[in-house]
Amino acid sequence: MVATLQVENLETHFPSRDGIVRAVDGVSFAIEPGEILGLVGESGSGKSITGFSILGLIDPPGRIANGSIKFKGEELTTASPERLRQLRGARIAMIFQDPMMTLNPVLRIDTQMIETVQAHEKVSEAAARVRCVETLKAVGIAAPEDRLKSYPHQFSGGMRQRIAIATALLHKPDLIIADEPTTALDVTIQGQILYEMRKLCRETGTALIWITHDLSVVAGLADRIMVMYAGKIVETGKIATVIERPQHPYTRGLIGSVPGAMPRGKRLFQIPGMTPALINLPPGCRFKNRCARADATCEAMPELAELQPGHGVRCHHPFGAEPLTLAEVR
Amino acid sequence: MTDATLPVAELAKTESPWKRIAAEFAESKLALFGLAVLVILLVAALVAPWLSPQDPYNLAGLDIMDARQPPGEISAEGLRFLLGSDGQGRDMLSAMLYGLRISLVVGVVSVVASLAIGAMAGMAAAYFGGKVDALIMRIVDIQLSFPAILVALILLAVLGNGMDKVIIALIAVQWAYFARSAHGAALVERNKEYIEAARCLGLGRSRMLLRHLLPNCMPPLIVIATINIARAITLEATLSFLGLGVPVTEPSLGMLISNGFDYLLSGVYWISLFPGVLLTLVIIAINLVGDQLRDVLNPRLKR
Amino acid sequence: MLVFIIRRLMQAALVVAVMSVLVFVGIYMIGDPLAILVSPEATELDREAIARSLGLDRPMWEQYLAFVGSALQGDFGKSFVFGQPAIGLILERMPATLELALIATIMSVLIGVPLGLYAGLRHETVAARAIMAGSVLGFSLPNFWVGLMLIMVFAVQLGWLPASGRGPTVDVFGIQLSFLTLAGWKYLALPALTLGLSKCALIVRLARATAREVMLMDFVKFARAKGLSEKRVIGVHILKNIMVPITTVTGLELGTLIAFAVITETIFSWPGMGKLLIDSIVHLDRPVVVAYLIVVVLLLVLISLIVDILYSVLDPRVRLGDAK
């Protein structure tokens, strides 16, 4: 079976006055139909840029400098702009972080949804409207016929995100890239949306890449997880394996900083230091300056090595079978 | 006038390092070009009596036989009309240099005066608040809702011709811009700690307004003042063109253009063309400088 | 909505009342109309008779009250020069001025928005810089001088277009209009271009600034992620957002344009109410000047009301009456 998406050695660069910003630096991964992949990292790790690279929506002067992105076997990095447009919104859909900003404030909901249908299929406005109503119902919006005639500002944030999700689902895409879609929402609404997204993917066989900085969000949602740090994947594997036996010190730090992961009463863990600037990076492991285990070997960039089948770590000093304590980094 | 100029110098001393502003200003080559043109024109206007081949105000020195000579022609007295001569046999170049003087004087004087009046009114409104505020700002609002050209037109119709009258009309038109801007800036500054501190020190009201509030309201006012000099010069030229501005005997650039209008249809283009080019050059130079000043002095655009 | 309109109209009435006092007092001080109207050879008795017939012998406040009384009935007095009702003279010439101002506005929007949009979306290209340089020029050029230069080039040197007058008009429901015929356009083109140039420059700058702001918004990226064509992203999603400030500014500037028509009409001998105003100021024809100003104030109020309503139509987030 052909993977829904196969990314090989992706490099996305942003030239700037001070040098090239290597926002995404040699990222490889694949995702199967119906699979949910959690892409975790802090801001500046390149996780969102990875998502936009797949859609071919990198803001100039940024560009994909190297690598290959294959969607169902079709190469996207060399595809024509028109071909990318045909795929966007139809076969590959995206949901954005801030629902208050993703809908055009001066256009009615029906305009914004119907244009999405008609951008990819020659259907009458009436037929397109019927499709919009059905999709809105599927994401749990009551009385969609009436709501379609409203403007975005007449909805709450949660409702707007449902509308954005419905818009993404209009063409039953093969792949959805969700860029922190629940971060701006209340926790209760967050839960509902997570549950519904998971259900929709399972039912339709849609692959989902869920980009987030919040490990606890993907823990209950994803099949597989991929942790990014400073433009590189540092750890990837089955969700249960990574959460229970994190091998990279950074992943371990992330888990330690999630409330509830540690025994009650213990202080939450903080990873010391800051994400490095992505301009003119020194050689070697990019986490070494914040890492308690770093030594001379870390002056060379470690490879993403498979410790077990499907569990890869980019570290010279993986934790192995060591129990999950944070004494050494504290 | 001293009220307005003194705190500018103080501003330089205390708050803003001139060097930083100069460096940021110099980042735009276009603005530097504008500044250079402006300086050259200012100097030319200043030394006009020595620069001009002829005294355009000395009517006895004009020969009607020299009227409407095209550029390059030589007058009866052997003077070369580089840019031609006007309807009364005046050398255009000389008339333009003198006209530039008048335009710049009218522009600068009216703006400085409206800056002083407007800034005082606006800050007083913000400082005292309540009824004073409501009254002053309502007058400002009503005036600003009315096109400036009409206000000036009617005022001049009432006051009559003359340079002083033009300046009065321009002040009446422009003070409201400064009042509104100073009001806004002062409202922001009023609530800052240093004003509170000055108040605690028991400083008098007028001292507080002049020495503490005004310097900190200056940056936006300087920007508006620059742009408004261009507006004032244009407005003066327009009014003169309509015959409601400066007297015919001492023509400003606008008046020269207006004089040329009578001959335009017969193909005598230079009387209107050259003063207009000079006028446009002045205005563009001021606008370029003003645009860059706005970028440099606007704290919202920084960082 | 209704409450909003009523409140605005009441504010307008107040402004008009204040303006009428200011204008009347101001105009009262302009020269002595008798000096112009009566020939120098006339006897003192003749002068008094004429003064009485025009109501010029009474004190100022009496003249004002008489003026307000009749103004409320739509009578602004008779023109000293034409001997006709002043308001009639103004209204007769108003369509010409409004046509000129509206055509100038439409031209400046049709030219300015695409140029500004382009300069904003492709702000690093040479063409974008050229557009911005052009807008600085358009902004700086003195309006009246542009008019003269256009006459010089297109009327005198090339002889393509007439230098003055309005030319043939078409009667539409009793209103004379130029823009319906090609011959009319020949006369309309230069004045409208002159009047619209600086507005066009303003619109270019505004459209560019707004486009640069809007193009970075998430909803534009989302529109692209939905697979919309560039044409639709720019032509609908970005353009519609740009049109909100453009409409507001253009509408509010329409008042300035009507005022500036005074100059354009003088240059091109366009038979509008602006030219009438200048003539009346020169001839000290008080009733016409007063009537003009009152009409213009009413026009300004009406325009700003229409702009507010349009604004709420274009931007659904704005609700009329919510603002204090």
Side-chain angles (χ1 to χ4, degrees):
Chain A
M1 192 172 69
V2 184
T4 302
L5 189 76
Q6 177 90 43
V7 176
E8 289 291 345
N9 195 30
L10 177 69
E11 288 181 22
T12 303
H13 291 175
F14 288 82
S16 79
R17 210 188 289 173
D18 305 318
I20 292 172
V21 178
R22 294 166 201 276
V24 179
D25 195 9
V27 165
S28 304
F29 64 94
I31 181 166
E32 307 292 331
E35 195 182 12
I36 301 178
L37 174 69
L39 183 47
V40 184
E42 53 199 291
S43 39
S45 63
K47 58 190 195 307
S48 296
I49 305 292
T50 305
F52 284 121
S53 301
I54 296 166
L55 282 173
L57 282 181
I58 299 296
D59 286 322
R63 63 188 186 93
I64 296 174
N66 217 334
S68 134
I69 301 168
K70 282 204 172 77
F71 174 72
K72 294 167 88 179
E74 181 181 352
E75 181 59 52
L76 296 189
T77 51
T78 54
S80 69
E82 172 58 19
R83 178 61 191 153
L84 282 174
R85 185 200 68 73
Q86 287 170 1
L87 291 173
R88 275 202 295 267
R91 308 299 359 124
I92 310 174
M94 185 147 182
I95 305 164
F96 287 54
Q97 175 170 0
D98 188 353
M100 303 312 242
M101 306 296 294
T102 44
L103 298 175
N104 193 325
V106 301
L107 297 175
R108 282 188 350 196
I109 301 300
D110 51 0
T111 317
Q112 301 192 49
M113 290 190 74
I114 288 169
E115 68 179 1
T116 315
V117 176
Q118 291 183 328
H120 302 287
E121 280 172 42
K122 278 207 184 317
V123 289
S124 70
E125 201 189 306
R129 186 177 292 274
V130 170
R131 170 116 53 106
C132 297
V133 168
E134 283 167 2
T135 326
L136 282 177
K137 248 184 222 156
V139 297
I141 286 185
E145 292 90 347
D146 301 334
R147 304 299 265 162
L148 268 176
K149 296 198 180 83
S150 311
Y151 284 96
H153 70 98
Q154 292 163 307
F155 292 91
S156 67
M159 292 293 260
R160 286 195 215 185
Q161 197 58 298
R162 280 168 202 269
I163 291 166
I165 291 171
T167 309
L169 292 173
L170 279 171
H171 292 279
K172 299 195 170 52
D174 300 305
L175 173 65
I176 296 177
I177 301 166
D179 188 2
E180 308 224 22
T182 56
T183 310
L185 303 179
D186 290 345
V187 179
T188 47
I189 296 168
Q190 204 173 20
Q192 288 171 17
I193 287 186
L194 285 176
Y195 170 77
E196 277 159 23
M197 286 300 288
R198 192 181 160 91
K199 205 174 97 193
L200 284 166
C201 287
R202 294 287 183 252
E203 281 167 5
T204 56
T206 301
L208 175 64
I209 299 177
W210 192 279
I211 300 171
T212 182
H213 67 277
D214 186 349
L215 216 117
S216 63
V217 167
V218 281
L221 173 78
D223 303 309
R224 244 168 1 103
I225 186 175
M226 203 162 83
V227 181
M228 275 186 84
Y229 185 79
K232 285 195 177 292
I233 296 174
V234 293
E235 183 155 7
T236 171
K238 286 248 184 303
I239 187 88
T241 325
V242 175
I243 298 275
E244 279 161 27
R245 291 207 177 281
Q247 293 300 315
H248 198 282
Y250 178 66
T251 319
R252 214 166 246 228
L254 279 182
I255 293 170
S257 58
V258 173
M262 298 297 293
R264 281 184 75 87
K266 287 230 174 182
R267 272 182 59 191
L268 282 179
F269 176 66
Q270 259 188 332
I271 303 173
M274 299 261 296
T275 319
L278 297 173
I279 297 176
N280 306 326
L281 281 164
C285 175
R286 287 177 187 172
F287 191 61
K288 64 178 187 243
N289 293 336
R290 302 171 75 181
C291 184
R293 299 164 77 90
D295 58 21
T297 52
C298 298
E299 293 304 319
M301 172 66 79
E303 290 302 308
L304 189 65
E306 283 211 337
L307 296 182
Q308 311 162 27
H311 188 181
V313 179
R314 188 187 294 278
C315 184
H316 292 299
H317 310 288
F319 285 86
E322 273 179 48
L324 183 68
T325 62
L326 294 159
E328 73 272 26
V329 280
R330 172 98 5 117
Chain B
M1 243 163 79
T2 42
D3 284 358
T5 46
L6 176 80
V8 183
E10 192 177 78
L11 175 79
K13 214 167 48 216
T14 56
E15 191 231 40
S16 62
W18 272 137
K19 268 189 186 165
R20 180 186 61 77
I21 290 179
E24 277 181 34
F25 184 88
E27 272 173 25
S28 163
K29 290 203 180 75
L30 211 56
L32 276 184
F33 170 75
L35 189 64
V37 170
L38 201 57
V39 169
I40 293 171
L41 291 176
L42 275 175
V43 171
L46 212 62
V47 300
W50 294 276
L51 213 61
S52 333
Q54 190 191 56
D55 178 3
Y57 295 162
N58 180 7
L59 293 176
L62 302 180
D63 188 344
I64 197 71
M65 295 303 288
D66 289 335
R68 299 189 296 281
Q69 294 293 333
E73 250 346 270
I74 294 177
S75 80
E77 287 163 27
L79 179 78
R80 186 177 285 275
F81 293 133
L82 272 179
L83 299 177
S85 68
D86 76 354
Q88 289 153 294
R90 219 183 247 129
D91 173 43
M92 281 308 296
L93 181 62
S94 312
M96 279 162 59
L97 285 169
Y98 275 81
L100 180 63
R101 272 185 135 186
I102 294 175
S103 294
L104 286 173
V105 166
V106 169
V108 172
V109 171
S110 70
V111 164
V112 170
S114 16
L115 173 72
I117 296 171
M120 279 301 133
M123 285 195 319
Y127 188 82
F128 295 112
K131 285 210 173 105
V132 183
D133 191 356
L135 180 71
I136 294 179
M137 293 325 285
R138 182 49 62 92
I139 295 173
V140 167
D141 282 346
I142 288 182
Q143 199 191 318
L144 287 181
S145 71
F146 215 68
I149 178 83
L150 278 188
V151 177
L153 212 60
I154 298 303
L155 268 175
L156 278 179
V158 174
L159 296 172
N161 281 18
M163 201 153 120
D164 49 343
K165 314 262 174 42
V166 174
I167 290 176
I168 291 172
L170 289 178
I171 294 170
V173 166
Q174 294 184 83
W175 75 278
Y177 295 105
F178 294 102
R180 190 175 55 178
S181 173
H183 182 250
L187 275 187
V188 175
E189 292 294 330
R190 193 180 64 171
N191 299 320
K192 288 195 179 157
E193 280 174 17
Y194 72 92
I195 290 292
E196 196 65 36
R199 201 174 277 154
C200 291
L201 286 171
L203 295 182
R205 277 186 163 169
S206 57
R207 191 177 160 78
M208 192 106 115
L209 277 175
L210 275 179
R211 306 284 306 228
H212 294 269
L213 214 44
L214 183 61
N216 288 287
C217 298
M218 269 331 264
L221 291 180
I222 292 173
V223 174
I224 298 179
T226 317
I227 304 283
N228 259 41
I229 291 178
R231 294 174 60 138
I233 290 176
T234 314
L235 202 51
E236 180 275 322
T238 308
L239 292 168
S240 295
F241 175 78
L242 291 173
L244 291 165
V246 298
V248 193
T249 46
E250 294 185 6
S252 69
L253 291 175
M255 181 65 80
L256 286 173
I257 296 171
S258 174
N259 290 344
F261 186 28
D262 301 337
Y263 309 109
L264 199 63
L265 290 180
S266 51
V268 179
Y269 64 88
W270 56 88
I271 308 180
S272 280
L273 177 68
F274 296 126
V277 171
L278 184 60
L279 183 61
T280 308
L281 204 60
V282 177
I283 293 162
I284 290 179
I286 296 176
N287 280 341
L288 287 177
V289 171
D291 269 3
Q292 183 69 1
L293 269 184
R294 175 173 46 209
D295 291 352
V296 172
L297 292 178
N298 187 349
R300 275 192 310 154
L301 290 175
K302 285 225 191 78
R303 278 168 282 276
Chain C
M1 180 79 170
L2 195 65
V3 177
F4 168 80
I5 291 178
I6 291 172
R7 192 161 58 209
R8 284 295 296 266
L9 287 178
M10 277 164 62
Q11 280 174 7
L14 188 73
V15 172
V16 172
V18 172
M19 283 304 297
S20 77
V21 177
L22 289 178
V23 164
F24 195 85
V25 173
I27 300 302
Y28 188 86
M29 296 192 294
I30 301 182
D32 178 10
L34 285 181
I36 287 194
L37 292 172
V38 186
S39 72
E41 294 100 55
T43 63
E44 197 56 30
L45 233 78
D46 286 341
R47 292 174 63 88
E48 273 169 29
I50 292 174
R52 207 171 307 119
S53 73
L54 295 173
L56 292 170
D57 56 337
R58 288 180 288 165
M60 189 166 79
W61 63 270
E62 239 179 73
Q63 286 191 40
Y64 177 71
L65 285 185
F67 162 75
V68 170
S70 43
L72 286 176
Q73 295 158 25
D75 177 11
F76 288 82
K78 278 186 179 170
S79 158
F80 297 160
V81 177
F82 296 88
Q84 294 171 19
I87 191 76
L89 289 170
I90 298 284
L91 294 180
E92 199 177 284
R93 286 164 175 77
M94 195 159 75
T97 299
L98 289 184
E99 182 183 27
L100 183 60
L102 283 174
I103 295 288
T105 302
I106 292 168
M107 273 169 70
S108 57
V109 170
L110 288 183
I111 299 170
V113 170
L115 287 181
L117 190 59
Y118 180 86
L121 295 177
R122 303 261 178 279
H123 59 95
E124 266 153 2
T125 59
V126 178
R129 278 159 209 255
I131 292 170
M132 288 322 287
S135 90
V136 172
L137 195 67
F139 215 63
S140 302
L141 285 170
N143 198 281
F144 66 98
W145 185 66
V146 171
L148 296 195
M149 292 303 108
L150 286 177
I151 288 180
M152 190 183 91
V153 174
F154 291 100
V156 180
Q157 305 286 339
L158 297 172
W160 290 353
L161 296 168
S164 70
R166 196 182 179 190
T169 53
V170 179
D171 192 305
V172 181
F173 303 118
I175 298 168
Q176 303 297 321
L177 293 173
S178 295
F179 76 98
L180 294 171
T181 60
L182 188 66
W185 266 105
K186 279 193 161 181
Y187 285 87
L188 193 54
L190 291 185
L193 196 62
T194 307
L195 194 55
L197 184 69
S198 61
K199 287 295 158 279
C200 188
L202 181 75
I203 288 173
V204 167
R205 299 179 124 202
L206 188 64
R208 173 180 176 268
T210 324
R212 287 194 66 176
E213 218 169 89
V214 171
M215 68 189 276
L216 299 175
M217 303 287 240
D218 266 3
F219 63 77
V220 173
K221 210 158 197 185
F222 189 62
R224 292 210 170 94
K226 291 195 299 189
L228 302 186
S229 61
E230 262 321 90
K231 210 169 91 190
R232 183 150 181 109
V233 173
I234 293 170
V236 176
H237 284 260
I238 296 182
L239 190 65
K240 191 120 196 247
N241 278 278
I242 289 180
M243 285 322 281
V244 176
I246 294 278
T247 309
T248 315
V249 170
T250 308
L252 293 178
E253 289 285 321
L254 187 60
T256 327
L257 223 51
I258 290 172
F260 255 97
V262 169
I263 299 144
T264 319
E265 288 174 7
T266 307
I267 298 169
F268 292 94
S269 301
W270 188 261
M273 55 183 187
K275 188 168 180 334
L276 179 67
L277 173 72
I278 295 293
D279 293 344
S280 304
I281 287 178
V282 173
H283 295 122
L284 302 179
D285 198 348
R286 281 185 206 165
V288 178
V289 175
V290 173
Y292 172 88
L293 289 173
I294 300 291
V295 166
V296 165
V297 170
L298 285 174
L299 263 179
L300 291 178
V301 169
L302 190 67
I303 288 169
S304 86
L305 185 67
I306 293 173
V307 168
D308 280 341
I309 293 171
L310 262 183
Y311 185 43
S312 75
V313 170
L314 277 174
D315 192 337
R317 288 165 295 185
V318 177
R319 284 257 193 75
L320 291 183
D322 282 0
K324 204 192 91 197

